[in-house]
Amino acid sequence: MTVGLWLIGARGSIGTTVTAGLALLAAGAGDRATTGMVSELDEFAGLRLVPPGNLVIGGHDLAEVSMKGRAEELVQAGVLPAHALPLARPALEAVDARVCPGVRGGGRDAIEQIQRDLLAFGDQHDLETVVVVNIASTEPLSPVLPVHEDLAALNQALDAGENPVPASALYAYAALDAGLPFIDFTPSMGAAIPALHELAVERGTVYAGRDGKTGETLVKTALASMFGSRNLKVTSWAGLNLLGGGDGRALADSDRAAAKLASKARSVREIFSPDVAAPVHIDYVEDLGEWKTAWNHVRFAGFLGTPMTMQITWQGCDSALAAPLVIDLARFTARARLAGQVGALDALAFFFKDPLGSDEHRLDHQFRRLVAWAGEFRDGGVRGGSVRDGGVGDGGVRDGGVGDGGVRDGGVRDGGVRDGGVRDGA
Amino acid sequence: MTVGLWLIGARGSIGTTVTAGLALLAAGAGDRATTGMVSELDEFAGLRLVPPGNLVIGGHDLAEVSMKGRAEELVQAGVLPAHALPLARPALEAVDARVCPGVRGGGRDAIEQIQRDLLAFGDQHDLETVVVVNIASTEPLSPVLPVHEDLAALNQALDAGENPVPASALYAYAALDAGLPFIDFTPSMGAAIPALHELAVERGTVYAGRDGKTGETLVKTALASMFGSRNLKVTSWAGLNLLGGGDGRALADSDRAAAKLASKARSVREIFSPDVAAPVHIDYVEDLGEWKTAWNHVRFAGFLGTPMTMQITWQGCDSALAAPLVIDLARFTARARLAGQVGALDALAFFFKDPLGSDEHRLDHQFRRLVAWAGEFRDGGVRGGSVRDGGVGDGGVRDGGVGDGGVRDGGVRDGGVRDGGVRDGA
Amino acid sequence: MTVGLWLIGARGSIGTTVTAGLALLAAGAGDRATTGMVSELDEFAGLRLVPPGNLVIGGHDLAEVSMKGRAEELVQAGVLPAHALPLARPALEAVDARVCPGVRGGGRDAIEQIQRDLLAFGDQHDLETVVVVNIASTEPLSPVLPVHEDLAALNQALDAGENPVPASALYAYAALDAGLPFIDFTPSMGAAIPALHELAVERGTVYAGRDGKTGETLVKTALASMFGSRNLKVTSWAGLNLLGGGDGRALADSDRAAAKLASKARSVREIFSPDVAAPVHIDYVEDLGEWKTAWNHVRFAGFLGTPMTMQITWQGCDSALAAPLVIDLARFTARARLAGQVGALDALAFFFKDPLGSDEHRLDHQFRRLVAWAGEFRDGGVRGGSVRDGGVGDGGVRDGGVGDGGVRDGGVRDGGVRDGGVRDGA
Amino acid sequence: MTVGLWLIGARGSIGTTVTAGLALLAAGAGDRATTGMVSELDEFAGLRLVPPGNLVIGGHDLAEVSMKGRAEELVQAGVLPAHALPLARPALEAVDARVCPGVRGGGRDAIEQIQRDLLAFGDQHDLETVVVVNIASTEPLSPVLPVHEDLAALNQALDAGENPVPASALYAYAALDAGLPFIDFTPSMGAAIPALHELAVERGTVYAGRDGKTGETLVKTALASMFGSRNLKVTSWAGLNLLGGGDGRALADSDRAAAKLASKARSVREIFSPDVAAPVHIDYVEDLGEWKTAWNHVRFAGFLGTPMTMQITWQGCDSALAAPLVIDLARFTARARLAGQVGALDALAFFFKDPLGSDEHRLDHQFRRLVAWAGEFRDGGVRGGSVRDGGVGDGGVRDGGVGDGGVRDGGVRDGGVRDGGVRDGA
Ligand SMILES: NC(=O)c1ccc[n+]([C@@H]2O[C@H](COP(=O)([O-])OP(=O)(O)OC[C@H]3O[C@@H](n4cnc5c(N)ncnc54)[C@H](O)[C@@H]3O)[C@@H](O)[C@H]2O)c1
Ligand SMILES: NC(=O)c1ccc[n+]([C@@H]2O[C@H](COP(=O)([O-])OP(=O)(O)OC[C@H]3O[C@@H](n4cnc5c(N)ncnc54)[C@H](O)[C@@H]3O)[C@@H](O)[C@H]2O)c1
Ligand SMILES: NC(=O)c1ccc[n+]([C@@H]2O[C@H](COP(=O)([O-])OP(=O)(O)OC[C@H]3O[C@@H](n4cnc5c(N)ncnc54)[C@H](O)[C@@H]3O)[C@@H](O)[C@H]2O)c1
Ligand SMILES: NC(=O)c1ccc[n+]([C@@H]2O[C@H](COP(=O)([O-])OP(=O)(O)OC[C@H]3O[C@@H](n4cnc5c(N)ncnc54)[C@H](O)[C@@H]3O)[C@@H](O)[C@H]2O)c1
Ligand code: NA
Ligand code: NA
């Protein structure tokens, strides 16, 4: 089984780390190489996930900088080990050559351009399916409009030549409409509107998101269970996030930061309660390079209301935290698609700050849900079909059938673009 | 149902906070009063635990200082709210009057003295059972001797007039031998030797321990699951604990600190792996008063081995963290005793740094175990008996029967001391 | 020598702490009572500063809450020791009775009302001079207008019935115009406009400010010298300030916070360089009560540019830090006024985040300047006059004479209000 | 002027960083290269210090590892920039070739071996003087013996074939006896015994030490002035130091750590007061590599005794902090030697945790002292001689004359070894 991993924002830090990392894994680069990959835990053995070595990477980006150049910066910053460069160079060059120019916005045309790129990629590499993952720069917060509420209205607007959604949602539309899984690792709109949920269900495909949970929120949702199970009441949780790197630079734009902050705040409110004071800030601090430092200050009440304090400083390398999760998500999502699942993959809430289809934020509960869900793949008998049955053999979009995840036989080519399936199917 | 809570070290910070806290609860002292009490969580509703208001406190101590004086210090330190004093004074005075002189060591005589005190307490208050909880100053680390390995050998040594165990184990012996539950909230020896396990089983009673998990280790075992489920490898975990208060003063003695450090180190090794560097220190810093500050510095490896860092500063009030857990433990343990359980209560591992009968350290797993275990009490049908059946009606020690937790009908009086049950039964 | 200390915002946390503190000092309340008072250091012995016991407090406030009520809250919060209340009650009640309704804004009328209150106070207590200190809630950032640039223009606007300045500047005007010293402990406008500098010089009085340096900035300016003298280059300095209390509540208003943040940012730019990234935030976290926590994250470059990190967490009680400095400032300023100094007291830069009349921010340099400056008072021979000469004997405002600080003989009454001195003198 | 810099422990992290750093400076390696060098501050312009490019490095070491290999590790660890390696390689190889086998202990023979090495070095490079700097692994704490108290006794013991001092003192003896300056950057004994002070004075040379102040103590002595000038009373100062690297490995040996801890504790007691609780720990945490993390927890009392807290986390690269100071010390010390100074250079206290000849610990005071002292070199007229006069022209040890620092004309060759000057002179 060969699966495509199509990265929106492929030339960024995460994309480059994913590419270099898979190359190092393929080269057998030491016993710590798979550290951080959830799908490599014993709990997920025997699920017939696509092996990392069978992932073929492609993507969209707006930037012209070469992935090799980016990788050198990541070595300097201590994100990639120095021995990575010579080993990863061929892979970086090969993937770089597959990166197509992305879109900044647009309507029907942009969607079709994206689908043509996905189609060509699937064709060329003879892929079982292609998982599309958004790791592009966070977009400014988009207003949710009435036209986002149902698919008919959205299609009508697109047909009328309007541009009713931001770029992330165009990528999501293109992927889902082509019967492909879509994952949003950013807080951008992506698939998180009812119209696109409808589209995913109609095309019989899956989506998951959003905003990868890699640092401050990871800790928050781990400690939430601690406070909860000890009946200790959190009364405030304040945070300051300092970021260098490309992501930091993008978030220095306060409109973009707004999307991130909204995602963070939503989770605090849902984890604790709406009356917990939870101020949170993001700052771009260029000299941190590819690193991130988050300070969290937590006040909680103990017996008889006695107030106590906990402080956490997290110094992580965001790309090294995110990259393995992107690979995990591709593996789990491809498996779910091929097993015939449909709609939002709420069982992947474990990976996200703002989980679509779920309002469970406690990390331990999310993990158990993930383990239980994935366990069903062990016997292969998920929702009436082995991987082969679910995965191939009939055109996803062409006949609207659930239980199909294929690019090879149908997918993009037949249902998606050539036959005009997108509009017909809607 | 009225249950005794017998505190070894009753006049210390925890004992005073337990006493004042129960008085405030009885006075209906505001909605945050039960914060920190695990047994008050929804998960434990309907278990027919003894209501906090039905706990009668007594204890042993070596100190002469009045609990009222201690409570005033705790108000000054911000552990107890200022309005607590007038409300709690009667309770503090009443309990103080019930505190008997403790033992520093000794042999058979000491055990018998302790049992006489327990007996008198049970008689006087007509108690269903008495849970004995050790919250005395941590003892210096005791060597484990051959004589600790089985009950016959231990009894032989005691009969020969030897003093083969430290005070904590004398208390444990006295309690278990009288068919009463024993809990060790300290890292002292207590019941943690095979000979006393044997005694507990023989007398059909339960024990749990040891070393309450209230701060640094609580956080450690909460985060252990986070790192584990994300496949992030912890490579070192260093800690410095600064303590004021009586506990800090006791631990300024490096022999006593050794016991505490051993308990902490054991848990780190068991949580992570023996090759994780985990230096840990305890210092007495008088000006911290009743407060404790712990700093933890964690290094962990992410994808491709990239090293990252997390730091945690915990500023807690140990007594306010410990007191509600002591109440929880009394409630759960009394329930288990009355339901006829026997031996080490491994399901209480959630409460301890060095859990007896269990090697599970991950907090979330411990909590689920606790919930599952306690859930069996909901229907009353645990191990063949309702609470009444299990609790009363036949002499615990007298006939060695499992399924009996009583002081009233048998317990201390018949089996324990008067009839010489201790030696006969052994 | 008896000196008045007139507090704008007297009923706030600082005002109450100043009042209670002076009462405790008078009662001889233990050897740590004068801790935090700079003027009590050996370096300042023999300067003939007004003894703390000879300070008479009065003030303006908008709030109706009693200082006694406020003091109770401060005891609860651990700012004042519990034994303070009975000792301080008489003083709190006496001062409370002297607090007059303040102004929220206005023009000439407001100024005159303020002056009448100052006059009455000076008369009633037979004061050598009255130091007016602004410790009212921080005002929103005021635009600097052309009319602030010279005194004639400002007076013209006031005469035309306009309200060209915020309340803090009305208080400053009233004080300076009456020949009294004015100190701004807040980042509000106060005396920090050229027109009021002119007024101070004309009336022969002094002023100082602004924004008391009590926490984050104190540390910053202490460490600035460390980095500087080691030739280590600070590249970023990020900070998050969490405040409870009245000040926190006021600063939750983003307009008011703007003034504070501007003051903080100015100092960072001046201490290091304009290109140091120095994001700083203030959040109101109610559950911190009277406490403040600031986290600072500093990146600096060492040899060959190697980047390193320092983090600082400061957990202070703002009122306990500010109150002794307010007393210090009153003592030093009264001394300078009576010694005939005029204009901005740049030697007091040591006390302020945004020092008026100085651009020295390094704490050690500021301290040496303060010591040198104050040393001149030791011999009494500052600028041609003993204290008596400078302090009394002729009407400050009446004849416009420099070298006069008196309320008793002239000051407010003659020069300020009754004789219409304010307008005449201008 | 060409000056030798002889490093005891040359192949360690500091030695390698000094060597690579000087090579980068010589190559003009960017504007941040001199960061961390105190002697490059404006305050020290015009002092005719030896230019960094005129320092010739040699040294002793026990290790066989090549400095080039060490430098590669330092690049991996982020201490040296990646571009450093190609630039520094020639220098590293050249210096490596000059490193002679050191001594682990011994007596007269060891001293003579060291002096022969110094002599050969001075001869070969035609050096004005040679500054010997101890940067070898910290030695276990040595007991101070009667024989250390005066030079005659020490010489007698040496003559009797005894080994009365540890290696560091042998190096110090060898250097001083040869009329060369000796600096101890470690907490080892070095020159810090009366006998060696006597020797330095007799030979007319200088020494300084000890234990470079690069991290925790640097911050401590910077903040000491802040607390002091604000009259805030520090009541406790606890610290935990986590070190990787060779220094950490050496200090994992508790005997060696004892020397370091003694040095740290001495400074706290002298900075604050003997009754400040100041527990401090050092742990070896291998995964920190060349980095060091220190956490400090400070309690201090403010007005009316209110207790407050400050925490500091310092994440520094010890070698990058130490290396520029070693260069500074060489420059200042060579200058002082050539200017004819004699004995302990107390003005260099700024650089040391445990300053010899001084009990001033406050960083700002130390810096002012350094500036004032160094300022005297500006006019060249220090203690009766220009550099040339002081530096050369007559044999240091041969005739015991003060005012001579030379290797070229006398120094090692004449006074030290060939003429048997050591024993004669004593
Ligand atoms: N790293 C983490 O831990 C983490 C966690 C949660 C979310 N995220 C999100 O992941 C995203 C990627 O992070 P990164 O650190 O790789 O950022 P980055 O800035 O290094 O890379 C982003 C890439 O996206 C490209 N891009 C921007 N707009 C695009 C568009 N319309 N179409 C195609 N490409 C586009 C950019 O050219 C750039 O190459 C960000 O949105 C970030 O907020 C990251
Ligand atoms: N507070 C926590 O969070 C926590 C967590 C884990 C363990 N513990 C342990 O709980 C114990 C109590 O803590 P604390 O803060 O109340 O201490 P404390 O010092 O305030 O009180 C201990 C009391 O035990 C008494 N005592 C000492 N030896 C005795 C003996 N042989 N017999 C009877 N009484 C004796 C002392 O007189 C004192 O009153 C300590 O061992 C501590 O290590 C506390
Ligand atoms: N505490 C510190 O360390 C510190 C440091 C620097 C600056 N400051 C500044 O000092 C001021 C006082 O701080 P606080 O903690 O006492 O605040 P607070 O909120 O407790 O007290 C402020 C008082 O000012 C009064 N007030 C508001 N507007 C007024 C007006 N126009 N006229 C008269 N009174 C008025 C309020 O009624 C209140 O009683 C704030 O501006 C704060 O920013 C404090
Ligand atoms: N780096 C700092 O910030 C700092 C600050 C204060 C003190 N120090 C001290 O500086 C010293 C050097 O630090 P480092 O990080 O370079 O250590 P390191 O372990 O990397 O190097 C020490 C070197 O000394 C050599 N050595 C040991 N014994 C010797 C002997 N008897 N003769 C000759 N060489 C010997 C070792 O072989 C090694 O090459 C240590 O003692 C350390 O405590 C360092
Ligand atoms: Na959700
Ligand atoms: Na200024």
PDB file of all heavy atoms in Angstrom, chain D residues 179-193:
ATOM      1  N   GLY D 179      58.193  33.662  38.383  1.00  0.00           N
ATOM      2  CA  GLY D 179      57.910  35.079  38.165  1.00  0.00           C
ATOM      3  C   GLY D 179      56.733  35.320  37.235  1.00  0.00           C
ATOM      4  O   GLY D 179      56.522  36.442  36.756  1.00  0.00           O
ATOM      5  N   LEU D 180      55.938  34.279  36.990  1.00  0.00           N
ATOM      6  CA  LEU D 180      54.818  34.418  36.053  1.00  0.00           C
ATOM      7  C   LEU D 180      53.508  34.593  36.802  1.00  0.00           C
ATOM      8  O   LEU D 180      53.338  34.070  37.900  1.00  0.00           O
ATOM      9  CB  LEU D 180      54.745  33.173  35.162  1.00  0.00           C
ATOM     10  CG  LEU D 180      56.016  32.855  34.367  1.00  0.00           C
ATOM     11  CD1 LEU D 180      55.831  31.571  33.571  1.00  0.00           C
ATOM     12  CD2 LEU D 180      56.371  34.030  33.450  1.00  0.00           C
ATOM     13  N   PRO D 181      52.569  35.310  36.197  1.00  0.00           N
ATOM     14  CA  PRO D 181      51.247  35.461  36.822  1.00  0.00           C
ATOM     15  C   PRO D 181      50.491  34.139  36.802  1.00  0.00           C
ATOM     16  O   PRO D 181      50.574  33.381  35.825  1.00  0.00           O
ATOM     17  CB  PRO D 181      50.530  36.475  35.928  1.00  0.00           C
ATOM     18  CG  PRO D 181      51.565  37.063  35.030  1.00  0.00           C
ATOM     19  CD  PRO D 181      52.683  36.064  34.937  1.00  0.00           C
ATOM     20  N   PHE D 182      49.720  33.893  37.841  1.00  0.00           N
ATOM     21  CA  PHE D 182      48.908  32.679  37.923  1.00  0.00           C
ATOM     22  C   PHE D 182      47.463  33.059  38.254  1.00  0.00           C
ATOM     23  O   PHE D 182      47.206  33.832  39.179  1.00  0.00           O
ATOM     24  CB  PHE D 182      49.450  31.747  39.010  1.00  0.00           C
ATOM     25  CG  PHE D 182      48.611  30.507  39.195  1.00  0.00           C
ATOM     26  CD1 PHE D 182      48.763  29.428  38.325  1.00  0.00           C
ATOM     27  CD2 PHE D 182      47.660  30.419  40.205  1.00  0.00           C
ATOM     28  CE1 PHE D 182      47.976  28.278  38.476  1.00  0.00           C
ATOM     29  CE2 PHE D 182      46.879  29.279  40.357  1.00  0.00           C
ATOM     30  CZ  PHE D 182      47.043  28.210  39.495  1.00  0.00           C
ATOM     31  N   ILE D 183      46.534  32.479  37.491  1.00  0.00           N
ATOM     32  CA  ILE D 183      45.110  32.747  37.712  1.00  0.00           C
ATOM     33  C   ILE D 183      44.403  31.438  37.941  1.00  0.00           C
ATOM     34  O   ILE D 183      44.570  30.494  37.169  1.00  0.00           O
ATOM     35  CB  ILE D 183      44.501  33.425  36.471  1.00  0.00           C
ATOM     36  CG1 ILE D 183      45.125  34.806  36.279  1.00  0.00           C
ATOM     37  CG2 ILE D 183      42.996  33.534  36.598  1.00  0.00           C
ATOM     38  CD1 ILE D 183      44.830  35.396  34.938  1.00  0.00           C
ATOM     39  N   ASP D 184      43.620  31.369  38.996  1.00  0.00           N
ATOM     40  CA  ASP D 184      42.834  30.155  39.189  1.00  0.00           C
ATOM     41  C   ASP D 184      41.383  30.425  38.857  1.00  0.00           C
ATOM     42  O   ASP D 184      40.687  31.130  39.575  1.00  0.00           O
ATOM     43  CB  ASP D 184      42.972  29.612  40.608  1.00  0.00           C
ATOM     44  CG  ASP D 184      42.700  28.111  40.607  1.00  0.00           C
ATOM     45  OD1 ASP D 184      41.989  27.644  39.682  1.00  0.00           O
ATOM     46  OD2 ASP D 184      43.210  27.410  41.484  1.00  0.00           O
ATOM     47  N   PHE D 185      40.926  29.832  37.754  1.00  0.00           N
ATOM     48  CA  PHE D 185      39.535  29.980  37.332  1.00  0.00           C
ATOM     49  C   PHE D 185      38.666  28.899  37.962  1.00  0.00           C
ATOM     50  O   PHE D 185      37.473  28.842  37.723  1.00  0.00           O
ATOM     51  CB  PHE D 185      39.477  29.904  35.793  1.00  0.00           C
ATOM     52  CG  PHE D 185      38.273  30.579  35.218  1.00  0.00           C
ATOM     53  CD1 PHE D 185      38.232  31.964  35.087  1.00  0.00           C
ATOM     54  CD2 PHE D 185      37.165  29.846  34.801  1.00  0.00           C
ATOM     55  CE1 PHE D 185      37.109  32.592  34.565  1.00  0.00           C
ATOM     56  CE2 PHE D 185      36.037  30.474  34.283  1.00  0.00           C
ATOM     57  CZ  PHE D 185      36.011  31.848  34.162  1.00  0.00           C
ATOM     58  N   THR D 186      39.280  28.028  38.751  1.00  0.00           N
ATOM     59  CA  THR D 186      38.531  26.933  39.388  1.00  0.00           C
ATOM     60  C   THR D 186      38.516  27.153  40.896  1.00  0.00           C
ATOM     61  O   THR D 186      39.245  28.001  41.412  1.00  0.00           O
ATOM     62  CB  THR D 186      39.194  25.569  39.103  1.00  0.00           C
ATOM     63  OG1 THR D 186      40.278  25.395  40.045  1.00  0.00           O
ATOM     64  CG2 THR D 186      39.755  25.500  37.697  1.00  0.00           C
ATOM     65  N   PRO D 187      37.713  26.359  41.610  1.00  0.00           N
ATOM     66  CA  PRO D 187      37.702  26.491  43.075  1.00  0.00           C
ATOM     67  C   PRO D 187      38.798  25.667  43.744  1.00  0.00           C
ATOM     68  O   PRO D 187      38.795  25.537  44.971  1.00  0.00           O
ATOM     69  CB  PRO D 187      36.313  25.961  43.454  1.00  0.00           C
ATOM     70  CG  PRO D 187      35.911  25.061  42.344  1.00  0.00           C
ATOM     71  CD  PRO D 187      36.631  25.492  41.111  1.00  0.00           C
ATOM     72  N   SER D 188      39.698  25.115  42.977  1.00  0.00           N
ATOM     73  CA  SER D 188      40.780  24.319  43.563  1.00  0.00           C
ATOM     74  C   SER D 188      41.702  25.212  44.393  1.00  0.00           C
ATOM     75  O   SER D 188      41.590  26.435  44.367  1.00  0.00           O
ATOM     76  CB  SER D 188      41.571  23.639  42.444  1.00  0.00           C
ATOM     77  OG  SER D 188      40.714  22.802  41.677  1.00  0.00           O
ATOM     78  N   MET D 189      42.642  24.582  45.093  1.00  0.00           N
ATOM     79  CA  MET D 189      43.519  25.348  45.979  1.00  0.00           C
ATOM     80  C   MET D 189      44.338  26.386  45.222  1.00  0.00           C
ATOM     81  O   MET D 189      44.396  27.551  45.611  1.00  0.00           O
ATOM     82  CB  MET D 189      44.455  24.396  46.730  1.00  0.00           C
ATOM     83  CG  MET D 189      45.389  25.131  47.671  1.00  0.00           C
ATOM     84  SD  MET D 189      46.527  24.004  48.519  1.00  0.00           S
ATOM     85  CE  MET D 189      45.444  23.217  49.704  1.00  0.00           C
ATOM     86  N   GLY D 190      44.970  25.985  44.132  1.00  0.00           N
ATOM     87  CA  GLY D 190      45.767  26.933  43.365  1.00  0.00           C
ATOM     88  C   GLY D 190      46.721  27.725  44.238  1.00  0.00           C
ATOM     89  O   GLY D 190      47.461  27.149  45.046  1.00  0.00           O
ATOM     90  N   ALA D 191      46.676  29.047  44.108  1.00  0.00           N
ATOM     91  CA  ALA D 191      47.572  29.919  44.862  1.00  0.00           C
ATOM     92  C   ALA D 191      46.996  30.375  46.190  1.00  0.00           C
ATOM     93  O   ALA D 191      47.607  31.205  46.879  1.00  0.00           O
ATOM     94  CB  ALA D 191      47.928  31.142  44.006  1.00  0.00           C
ATOM     95  N   ALA D 192      45.823  29.818  46.558  1.00  0.00           N
ATOM     96  CA  ALA D 192      45.110  30.385  47.702  1.00  0.00           C
ATOM     97  C   ALA D 192      45.599  29.883  49.056  1.00  0.00           C
ATOM     98  O   ALA D 192      44.792  29.541  49.922  1.00  0.00           O
ATOM     99  CB  ALA D 192      43.605  30.127  47.531  1.00  0.00           C
ATOM    100  N   ILE D 193      46.889  29.833  49.248  1.00  0.00           N
ATOM    101  CA  ILE D 193      47.445  29.529  50.572  1.00  0.00           C
ATOM    102  C   ILE D 193      48.529  30.558  50.864  1.00  0.00           C
ATOM    103  O   ILE D 193      49.183  31.074  49.945  1.00  0.00           O
ATOM    104  CB  ILE D 193      48.015  28.085  50.654  1.00  0.00           C
ATOM    105  CG1 ILE D 193      49.002  27.818  49.506  1.00  0.00           C
ATOM    106  CG2 ILE D 193      46.882  27.052  50.618  1.00  0.00           C
ATOM    107  CD1 ILE D 193      49.678  26.451  49.583  1.00  0.00           C
TER     108      ILE D 193
END
